[in-house]
Amino acid sequence: MEILAFGVQSDEKPLIEKAFAGLHEVRCLDVFLNRDTAPIAAGYETISTSVNADLSAPVLRTLAAGGTQMIAQRSTGFNNIDLDVAERLSLRVARVSSYSPHSVAEFAWTLAMAVNRRVIRAASRTRDFDFRLDGLLGRDMHGRTVGVLGTGKIGEAFTRIAHGYGMRLLGWDVARNPACVELGMEYVEKERLFAEADLVSLHVPLLPATRHVIDEAALQAMKDDAILVNTSRGGLVDTTALVAELRAGRFLGVGLDVYEAEAGLFFLDKSLEGIDDDTLARLVTFPNVVVTSHQAYYTEDAVGQIIDATVANVVDHLARRHSENVLVPRA
């Protein structure tokens, strides 16, 4: 059987082909799945999609009409998939329930320290042989307070790094993580977390209850010199409200690896086209903001685990086995 994989990055392609070798043929495309590209999947029983795929109702109907029976998404998040429609169409949907939490946690800290120590500005200056220190003043993390929203596997890994810095630990989640409690984390209401944290890092999934968890009220509750980091999902932050606060001169720094309107932008080269997203265009102009293109997960370790899980999901589908990765079992 030949599998069609959408949205494959050049670094991923040899890893995917190697993982499927001896099992199934795989055709890798660099285009992302959306309404325009969905017809390409006609005749393919199984497809694999990336995190930014459009799996809304119209796309799912096109896939089902073309004979697709199984969708293996190469990500943990699945807010881009209309699961109810998939179930009605008898489409089996699976995801990657977990991969290296260290990849995202370490990158979150990379962003936090990049904005704290003004690394981007400093590197840009030295390329022009400008070695002044003006405007590069950072601060120690030791002894300061970190607020972690979401203390699952990634949040725990992030917390362990914060503990290594010698920080006071505040957490917010629907359930306490015993490992975080053992590290000394105090679970508090998010309003208190926002008010006391010097660094706020987001590690919760995007759900109706968490959409814009960082809204205007949350932003205004934070310290004027706080650092905000989001490596989870763009929809957790009300970007328009964030831009308004940044324009008012607030926050020591903001590090974003995700953006709520990133679909159609991230993972693509728009350098010769420009973009018509005024909010993003304004966001990247702030000197205390670093925006990266959803790369926190992108390590050899994590990508390898994602691909291995995707292969397992396809094999399970063909063997009619169920696993924790299955979001919608096929009728």
Side-chain angles (χ1 to χ4, degrees):
M1 182 180 72
E2 186 176 35
I3 296 152
L4 183 63
F6 285 93
V8 177
Q9 304 295 317
S10 59
D11 297 325
E12 291 179 286
K13 184 177 180 180
L15 300 176
I16 291 176
E17 291 175 340
K18 181 179 179 180
F20 276 104
L23 295 173
H24 302 285
E25 296 294 321
V26 60
R27 178 187 175 195
C28 294
L29 303 178
D30 59 2
V31 297
F32 296 97
L33 178 63
N34 54 41
R35 296 189 188 196
D36 295 329
T37 60
I40 301 173
Y44 287 89
E45 175 184 335
T46 300
I47 67 167
S48 177
T49 59
S50 60
V51 65
N52 270 356
D54 175 4
L55 286 162
S56 58
V59 174
L60 293 174
R61 293 191 190 101
T62 299
L63 294 176
T68 297
Q69 299 178 18
M70 195 268 181
I71 300 167
Q73 177 142 296
R74 303 187 306 278
S75 73
T76 300
F78 53 90
N79 55 285
N80 60 318
I81 308 172
D82 192 325
L83 297 179
D84 292 334
V85 172
E87 186 173 14
R88 289 199 295 271
L89 294 171
S90 294
L91 288 168
R92 181 183 176 102
V93 181
R95 62 161 179 163
V96 177
S97 58
S98 65
Y99 55 85
S100 169
H102 307 291
S103 60
V104 179
E106 291 172 5
F107 194 80
W109 272 106
T110 299
L111 287 176
M113 296 309 295
V115 296
N116 175 35
R117 301 306 301 270
R118 316 298 189 190
V119 173
I120 306 301
R121 180 185 296 180
S124 177
R125 281 186 184 179
T126 54
R127 285 180 178 176
D128 293 331
F129 302 106
D130 179 352
F131 302 105
R132 293 172 301 159
L133 298 182
D134 296 343
L136 303 183
L137 187 67
R139 62 187 184 188
D140 292 357
M141 286 298 183
H142 179 82
R144 285 190 161 81
T145 300
V146 64
V148 186
L149 269 73
T151 55
K153 293 180 180 179
I154 296 174
E156 179 188 330
F158 181 90
T159 300
R160 290 189 181 279
I161 299 172
H163 181 262
Y165 274 106
M167 301 186 76
R168 174 179 173 236
L169 311 174
L170 297 181
W172 177 83
D173 208 328
V174 293
R176 298 187 178 195
N177 183 333
C180 292
V181 173
E182 187 175 346
L183 290 170
M185 173 171 280
E186 179 184 1
Y187 280 84
V188 298
E189 294 299 319
K190 61 178 181 294
E191 291 76 16
R192 180 181 164 193
L193 183 151
F194 295 147
E196 297 184 14
D198 299 294
L199 164 62
V200 176
S201 190
L202 310 182
H203 302 287
V204 294
L206 179 59
L207 303 168
T210 59
R211 184 167 197 83
H212 286 182
V213 66
I214 304 297
D215 58 9
E216 181 180 6
L219 291 165
Q220 291 181 353
M222 292 181 195
K223 295 180 177 181
D224 288 343
D225 61 351
I227 295 172
L228 173 65
V229 173
N230 185 13
T231 53
S232 185
R233 288 292 180 268
L236 299 175
V237 177
D238 182 339
T239 317
T240 301
L242 175 61
V243 168
E245 295 302 309
L246 288 166
R247 289 184 63 184
R250 301 191 63 229
F251 305 129
L252 176 68
V254 174
L256 303 175
D257 185 52
V258 287
Y259 172 60
E260 59 182 327
E262 68 183 55
L265 292 174
F266 282 20
F267 305 140
L268 299 172
D269 182 1
K270 297 289 185 178
S271 60
L272 298 180
E273 303 174 31
I275 59 171
D276 55 9
D277 187 324
D278 292 338
T279 302
L280 180 59
R282 183 67 179 94
L283 188 64
V284 298
T285 64
F286 291 104
N288 58 334
V289 174
V290 173
V291 179
T292 52
S293 54
H294 208 142
Q295 71 179 79
Y297 78 98
Y298 207 52
T299 66
E300 293 180 4
D301 311 81
V303 171
Q305 292 167 16
I306 289 169
I307 292 171
D308 289 344
T310 301
V311 173
N313 288 340
V314 172
V315 171
D316 284 346
H317 163 67
L318 297 174
R320 301 185 182 279
R321 289 193 298 262
H322 189 85
S323 76
E324 64 177 352
N325 289 338
V326 176
L327 297 169
V328 180
R330 189 167 187 269

